[in-house]
């Protein structure tokens, strides 16, 4: 049992259970609370040290978390020194916050008693068997996590005290019903507005762009006109599936495999049983005496057995293999046909068991079903043997003739294929595998000055495909010449001039509108306001909607403003009406919970800001070296 628990503790599901217990310590890790101080600390918070080891462990945990979340994208970001520095700073900040909160909890006198910890541990489902606390499970679990009992209790005490502190903060952020109604009325609205849109694309067609303006824009924004690093690649694919189609298997190979693996075709021994089930031991003893005196087993089973299903069949329960024999049948220990058992107690009553027949273990004959199964196995084995052997030959050929793929083509028996140009961000589909990209983009296949260099080694994909690749042409990242992007730059200049013109015209119109001249203010621009349109406060990802909801409520006349829409056009907004957004019960509950969570976060952030402002925080050499 203990071995099973130890194995389970290493399983991902069991670790998830542990994560539920210590979720507030995911970032920093258990080890943070167990590590001593080597003197080379990261930071001191009011005299309490966070060691270099704690910081490094926390950063490593955060790297692992991001890698699990982001996949391949993380490795690209991890090459960026500033990105990894930012991760380190964020982790350090969270470690400081945890220490400050722990110190604050001490100041408040928050205490978690031993009984509270004991009851919490007893209630954890992972430590219970049949709804009772299982000490063996508990001990095995913390042992597999590398903790002593005292260390685990310390971890639980810190977690529970943090929960107590957070609960107190949440409890302090209450809202009165009138406050809730007011906040919902402000936050959840429908606003009706009319729009006048300056179409930048149309206005750009009316603009001109001189050569000087085009050159100035180009040289001011060169980074917009980058041509990415480009590759052309020759490659040879070795596919085990294609090889398998050419593999043949003869009868001798099938027979040899069958003979060598005969243990896989053993049909276990089977026994045929009948039973009579009784509710009491006395009744079963009486029935057994009848049987021993020669009474018909099937007739007694039909008339007396309490097991309705087998009684219909005269007690017959069919064939049972040795490997599937239940405990009661094993207890009967019957060995010859017609043998009766003693009365055996079971979970459903008392049984009398008779052995009706025996089929000894046997080896399946090499019939068509077995033959087909063996043929598939042999074919797969031969395919993989040939696949791995060919990989070795191809690897040798690619290494010995490192300037072309000609030797590899000869050994592999296939012609190399050539890709078109592609970049890192727009990978060609036939090579779009993580392992291939790692080799291709690490620079090892390029010679000096970026010219084609050497062949790759074998790149294995999913264990059943392999590539040899070679960069046949390469273009480094560069800034495009003005001649290449002249038309694009010209359009940028025209669009910017159109945008500037529209912004000026909109500002002029806004001044006149606020003077109460209504749509007449838009006449010089050849525009009119649209009919009323409805905008929902829940859609503030839209920049136009954000401006509409930032305008003051209209009084005697509309409230006006200028915005940009998703197409980059300039929009003059006339806010006409504000209406409450109707909410059903479920929506209202969701929004109220969001309000309360927001208030809790605000209070929590203010608390941390205050704790930081009053704390003595001294950075150590471990951080200064970052």
């Amino acid at each position: 049992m203990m071995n099973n628990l130890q194995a389970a503790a290493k399983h991902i599901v069991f670790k998830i259970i542990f994560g539920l217990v210590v979720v507030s310590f995911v970032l920093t890790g258990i080890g943070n609370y167990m590590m001593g101080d080597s003197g080379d600390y990261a930071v001191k918070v009011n005299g309490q040290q966070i060691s270099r080891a704690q910081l490094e462990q926390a950063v490593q945990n955060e790297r692992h978390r991001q890698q699990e979340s982001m996949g391949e994208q993380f490795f690209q970001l991890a090459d960026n020194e500033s990105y990894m520095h930012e991760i380190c700073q964020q982790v350090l900040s969270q470690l400081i916050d945890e220490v400050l909160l722990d110190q604050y909890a001490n100041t408040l006198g928050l205490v978690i008693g031993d009984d509270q910890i004991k009851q919490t541990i007893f209630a954890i489902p992972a430590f219970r068997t049949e709804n009772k606390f299982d000490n063996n499970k508990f001990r095995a679990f913390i042992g597999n996590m590398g903790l002593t009992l005292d260390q685990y209790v310390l971890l639980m005490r810190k977690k529970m005290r943090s929960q107590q502190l957070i609960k107190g903060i949440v409890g302090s952020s209450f809202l009165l019903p009138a406050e809730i109604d007011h906040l919902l009325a402000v936050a959840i609205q429908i606003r009706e507005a009319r729009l006048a849109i300056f179409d930048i694309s149309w206005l750009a067609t009316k603009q001109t762009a001189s050569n000087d303006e085009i050159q100035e824009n180009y040289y001011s924004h060169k980074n917009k006109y980058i041509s990415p690093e480009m590759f052309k690649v020759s490659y040879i694919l070795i596919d085990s599936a294609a090889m398998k189609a050419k593999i043949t298997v003869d009868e001798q190979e099938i027979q040899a495999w069958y003979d060598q693996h005969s243990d896989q075709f053993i049909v276990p021994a089977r026994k045929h049983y009948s039973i009579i089930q009784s509710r009491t031991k006395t009744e079963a003893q009486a029935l057994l005496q009848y049987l021993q005196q020669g009474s018909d087993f099937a007739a007694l089973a039909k008339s007396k057995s309490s097991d309705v299903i087998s009684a219909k069949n005269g007690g017959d329960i069919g064939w049972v293999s040795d490997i599937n024999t239940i405990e009661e049948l094993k207890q009967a220990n019957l060995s010859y046909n017609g043998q009766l058992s003693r009365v055996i107690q079971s979970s459903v009553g008392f049984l009398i068991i008779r052995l009706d027949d025996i089929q000894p273990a046997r080896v399946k004959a090499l019939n068509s079903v077995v033959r087909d199964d063996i043929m598939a196995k042999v074919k797969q084995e031969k395919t993989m043997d040939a696949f791995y052997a060919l990989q070795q030959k191809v690897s040798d050929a690619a290494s010995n003739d490192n300037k072309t793929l000609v030797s590899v083509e000869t050994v592999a028996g296939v012609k190399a294929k050539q890709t078109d140009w592609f970049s890192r961000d727009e990978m060609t589909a036939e090579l779009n595998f993580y392992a291939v990209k790692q080799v291709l983009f690490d620079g090892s296949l390029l010679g000096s000055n970026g010219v084609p260099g050497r062949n790759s080694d074998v790149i294995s994909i999913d264990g059943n495909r392999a590539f040899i690749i070679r960069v046949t042409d390469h273009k480094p990242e560069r800034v495009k010449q003005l001649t290449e992007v002249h038309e694009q730059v010209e359009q940028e200049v025209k669009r910017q001039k159109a945008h500037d013109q529209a912004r000026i015209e909109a500002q002029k119109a806004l001044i006149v509108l606020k003077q109460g001249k209504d749509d007449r203010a838009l006449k010089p621009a050849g525009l009119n306001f649209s009919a009323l349109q409805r905008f929902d406060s829940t859609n503030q990802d839209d920049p136009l909607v954000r401006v509409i909801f930032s305008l003051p409520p209209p009084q005697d006349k509309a409230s006006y403003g200028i915005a940009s829409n998703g197409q980059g056009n300039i929009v003059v907004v006339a806010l006409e009406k504000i209406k409450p957004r109707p909410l059903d019960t479920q929506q209202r509950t969701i929004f109220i919970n969001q309000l309360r969570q927001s208030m809790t976060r605000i209070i929590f952030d203010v608390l941390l800001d205050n704790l930081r402002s009053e704390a003595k925080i001294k950075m150590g050499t471990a951080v200064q070296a970052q």
Side-chain angles (χ1 to χ4, degrees):
M1 176 180 176
M2 292 300 295
N3 290 336
N4 291 337
L5 284 172
Q6 290 169 356
K10 297 175 183 176
H11 194 277
I12 186 63
V13 175
F14 213 68
K15 292 189 177 184
I16 289 171
I17 294 172
F18 185 73
L20 296 175
V21 179
V22 293
V23 66
S24 62
F25 300 99
V26 165
L27 177 63
T28 57
I30 294 167
N32 288 358
Y33 299 101
M34 315 308 165
M35 296 175 184
D37 177 32
S38 64
D40 184 15
Y41 64 88
V43 64
K44 283 184 179 180
V45 183
N46 294 323
Q48 182 175 337
Q49 291 186 5
I50 297 173
S51 70
R52 174 192 287 269
Q54 286 176 262
L55 176 60
E56 290 176 349
Q57 179 65 52
V59 170
Q60 184 61 33
N61 289 347
E62 177 62 11
R63 281 176 59 96
H64 180 72
R65 186 192 68 78
Q66 291 200 21
Q67 181 181 336
E68 290 288 323
S69 173
M70 301 166 64
E72 294 180 21
Q73 185 182 1
F74 172 76
F75 294 103
Q76 298 175 8
L77 293 172
D79 290 335
N80 187 321
E81 186 176 339
S82 63
Y83 179 77
M84 296 311 300
H85 178 73
E86 183 180 344
I87 286 180
C88 183
Q89 293 303 311
Q90 290 174 350
V91 169
L92 179 63
S93 178
Q94 185 157 344
L95 288 173
I96 292 171
D97 287 346
E98 289 179 359
V99 172
L100 287 170
L101 289 172
D102 192 51
Q103 292 173 347
Y104 183 60
N106 275 332
T107 303
L108 295 178
L110 298 182
V111 177
I112 302 297
D114 292 343
D115 285 343
Q116 288 176 269
I117 297 173
K118 181 179 178 182
Q119 293 306 316
T120 299
I121 292 174
F122 281 5
I124 294 174
F127 304 148
R128 298 182 71 81
T129 299
E130 296 181 355
N131 207 30
K132 294 181 180 179
F133 179 73
D134 189 326
N135 191 55
N136 289 332
K137 279 187 177 181
F138 173 66
R139 293 284 182 175
F141 181 81
I142 63 174
N144 277 281
M145 296 306 297
L147 300 174
T148 66
L149 177 59
D150 289 342
Q151 288 171 339
Y152 183 78
V153 169
L154 173 62
L155 185 150
M156 288 297 297
R157 193 183 305 278
K158 286 179 176 290
K159 171 183 178 290
M160 292 172 66
R161 190 163 64 172
S162 295
Q163 288 177 335
Q164 191 178 72
L165 176 61
I166 293 170
K167 185 177 180 181
I169 293 172
V170 172
S172 67
S173 59
F174 65 90
L175 288 169
L176 296 174
E179 293 175 320
I180 291 174
D181 292 338
H182 175 71
L183 289 171
L184 287 178
V186 172
I188 313 299
Q189 298 177 348
I190 296 293
R191 292 195 168 195
E192 295 184 352
R194 295 182 295 146
L195 309 179
I197 300 175
F198 290 82
D199 187 337
I200 301 301
S201 296
W202 181 82
L203 290 173
T205 64
K206 308 299 180 184
Q207 303 295 325
T208 60
S210 68
N211 286 333
D212 288 345
E213 289 172 325
I214 292 171
Q215 287 184 8
E216 182 183 355
N217 182 283
Y218 169 76
Y219 288 112
S220 299
H221 303 90
K222 272 190 172 183
N223 289 338
K224 290 176 60 176
Y225 309 113
I226 298 294
S227 178
E229 184 180 21
M230 301 293 288
F231 299 83
K232 271 190 177 181
V233 173
S234 290
Y235 67 93
I236 290 176
L237 170 62
I238 307 169
D239 190 345
S240 65
M243 296 175 67
K244 187 175 184 178
K246 300 177 182 179
I247 298 290
T248 59
V249 179
D250 60 34
E251 288 297 321
Q252 288 182 335
E253 290 173 311
I254 294 174
Q255 185 66 53
W257 201 96
Y258 173 80
D259 293 340
Q260 293 170 11
H261 302 85
S262 59
D263 58 316
Q264 295 186 20
F265 303 101
I266 293 176
V267 179
R270 300 195 306 166
K271 293 179 179 178
H272 192 281
Y273 293 99
S274 295
I275 66 166
I276 297 175
Q277 178 177 302
S278 298
R279 293 184 175 85
T280 67
K281 186 175 184 179
T282 301
E283 183 181 358
Q285 291 285 9
L287 292 172
L288 179 58
Q289 287 183 352
Y290 288 139
L291 292 171
Q292 290 170 341
Q293 293 168 5
S295 295
D296 183 82
F297 191 99
L300 275 180
K302 286 182 179 181
S303 60
K304 300 295 185 181
S305 181
S306 60
D307 178 40
V308 178
I309 296 175
S310 63
K312 291 180 179 179
N313 300 316
D316 188 347
I317 61 171
W319 289 95
V320 180
S321 70
D322 283 355
I323 59 176
N324 293 324
T325 302
I326 62 174
E327 186 60 32
E328 288 84 354
L329 296 180
K330 290 180 181 178
Q331 290 178 28
N333 196 26
L334 304 177
S335 58
Y336 59 87
N337 292 352
Q339 185 180 4
L340 291 171
S341 73
R342 57 184 172 80
V343 173
I344 295 174
Q345 185 175 358
S346 74
S347 60
V348 293
F350 296 86
L351 302 177
I352 302 168
I353 304 169
R354 185 182 69 181
L355 176 59
D356 297 326
D357 201 356
I358 301 174
Q359 284 184 353
R362 61 183 177 84
V363 178
K364 287 183 183 178
L366 188 55
N367 56 29
S368 58
V369 176
V370 173
R371 178 180 281 102
D372 291 344
D373 184 40
I374 293 175
M375 180 182 290
K377 286 182 169 66
V378 173
K379 192 169 188 177
Q380 180 63 21
E381 288 180 2
K382 290 180 68 176
T383 298
M384 297 314 296
D385 288 345
F387 178 63
Y388 293 131
L390 182 57
Q391 280 192 59
Q392 185 58 55
K393 292 179 182 178
V394 164
S395 177
D396 293 341
S399 177
N400 294 333
D401 180 10
N402 212 5
K403 295 184 178 180
T404 70
L405 290 177
V406 173
S407 296
V408 179
E409 288 178 324
T410 302
V411 171
V414 295
K415 286 289 184 183
K417 294 182 179 180
Q418 176 73 47
T419 70
D420 201 351
W421 287 106
F422 63 89
S423 67
R424 294 171 185 256
D425 294 333
E426 295 181 356
M427 184 72 181
T428 185
E430 56 263 47
L431 297 179
N432 194 14
F433 301 96
Y434 176 66
V436 174
K437 289 188 286 187
Q438 271 194 310
V439 173
L440 177 59
F441 296 139
D442 70 4
S444 63
L445 301 187
L446 293 175
S448 58
N449 300 320
V451 298
R454 65 178 184 85
N455 299 331
S456 74
D457 200 351
V458 173
I459 305 170
S460 181
I461 306 295
D462 300 331
N464 54 19
R465 286 173 291 175
F467 284 93
I468 295 283
I469 64 174
R470 178 180 182 81
V471 177
T472 53
D473 210 347
H474 174 260
K475 295 177 183 177
E477 180 181 274
R478 65 182 180 86
V479 178
K480 294 179 181 179
Q481 297 295 315
L482 178 56
T483 53
E484 298 176 78
V485 294
H486 187 279
E487 184 177 346
Q488 180 184 349
V489 178
E490 181 180 9
Q491 292 304 315
E492 287 289 336
V493 172
K494 290 181 178 181
R495 187 171 180 85
Q496 185 59 52
K497 292 172 76 171
H499 189 277
D500 293 343
Q501 177 191 335
R503 174 68 67 175
I504 291 170
E505 294 295 328
Q507 292 286 0
K508 289 179 181 179
L510 188 63
I511 293 171
V512 177
L513 286 166
K514 289 182 176 180
Q515 293 173 351
K517 295 186 178 180
D518 300 330
D519 290 14
R520 288 172 292 173
L522 298 171
K523 295 299 182 184
L527 295 177
N528 291 297
F529 277 119
S530 68
L532 279 176
Q533 299 182 39
R534 291 167 59 89
F535 300 91
D536 195 321
S537 59
T538 60
N539 187 32
Q540 295 199 35
D541 290 338
D542 187 324
L544 173 60
V545 176
R546 285 200 298 271
V547 170
I548 290 172
F549 278 87
S550 70
L551 294 176
Q555 302 299 329
D556 297 333
K557 58 181 181 180
S559 182
Y560 297 102
I562 298 175
S564 296
N565 65 11
Q567 292 74 47
N569 297 319
I570 300 297
V571 182
V572 178
V573 178
L575 175 60
E576 301 281 1
K577 298 177 182 179
I578 298 178
K579 298 179 178 180
R581 184 181 187 274
L583 299 174
D584 60 31
T585 302
Q586 183 179 5
Q587 290 172 329
R588 181 180 173 84
T589 301
I590 290 171
F591 281 118
I592 290 173
N593 288 337
Q594 289 174 347
L595 281 173
R596 286 178 172 151
Q597 289 170 9
S598 297
M599 289 195 66
T600 299
R601 284 195 297 269
I602 291 169
I603 295 171
F604 203 77
D605 290 343
V606 169
L607 171 63
L608 282 173
D609 287 343
N610 288 338
L611 292 175
R612 276 181 172 268
S613 66
E614 297 173 1
K616 293 180 180 179
I617 299 175
K618 180 182 178 182
M619 297 300 171
T621 56
V623 171
Q624 293 167 4
Q626 294 289 327

